[in-house]
Amino acid sequence: MREFNNYMEQVKHSVSQMVAFNNYPNVSENFYENDLQAGTLQALEDGYVYLWYAVGTVRGENEETERLGIFWDDDLDLHIMPVTHFGTIWTGVEPVDERKRVED
């Protein structure tokens, strides 16, 4: 598994293009039925998904896209990346691993 210095570096490794899609939960009513990572599900339950992006992936789906929480939406036929932090530039955010559920 590759190590990254920050969230921006992590995103640049896996994402070739991205478009803000903050209306995603309203457009895709069944998004909870997609293959969401445990950390993403927890963030949704806790109200901590702040941004949504439609993204193109560099290498398709793999371990790195899973760590970012990127998933495929079958209804819209595109990859979606949820962002679970807010207010800090991405170079100042630690890399994430959305596959894991964070224990309180």
Side-chain angles (χ1 to χ4, degrees):
M1 181 168 52
R2 183 169 173 167
E3 297 297 321
F4 300 100
N5 294 317
N6 56 56
Y7 186 72
M8 176 65 86
E9 188 178 293
Q10 186 180 18
V11 170
K12 283 185 174 183
H13 177 75
S14 296
V15 174
S16 61
Q17 54 190 335
M18 59 194 304
V19 175
F21 191 12
N22 290 324
N23 202 29
Y24 172 68
N26 298 324
V27 172
S28 183
E29 297 173 359
N30 301 320
F31 71 92
Y32 272 105
E33 295 174 12
N34 290 308
D35 189 21
L36 303 177
Q37 300 298 324
T40 303
L41 284 171
Q42 180 177 352
L44 281 168
E45 292 168 2
D46 295 343
Y48 295 127
V49 175
Y50 299 106
L51 302 167
W52 296 93
Y53 287 92
V55 299
T57 59
V58 175
R59 296 165 190 83
E61 293 183 36
N62 57 41
E63 182 179 25
E64 298 306 330
T65 58
E66 288 178 3
R67 286 173 63 192
L68 284 167
I70 295 172
F71 61 92
W72 182 257
D73 186 298
D74 285 326
D75 294 335
L76 299 178
D77 201 28
L78 51 84
H79 283 101
I80 301 292
M81 183 178 80
V83 177
T84 57
H85 61 273
F86 182 77
T88 303
I89 61 171
W90 290 8
T91 55
V93 175
E94 295 289 322
V96 298
D97 191 343
E98 294 295 343
R99 298 173 300 176
K100 300 176 183 174
R101 180 170 287 275
V102 178
E103 300 296 329
D104 292 333

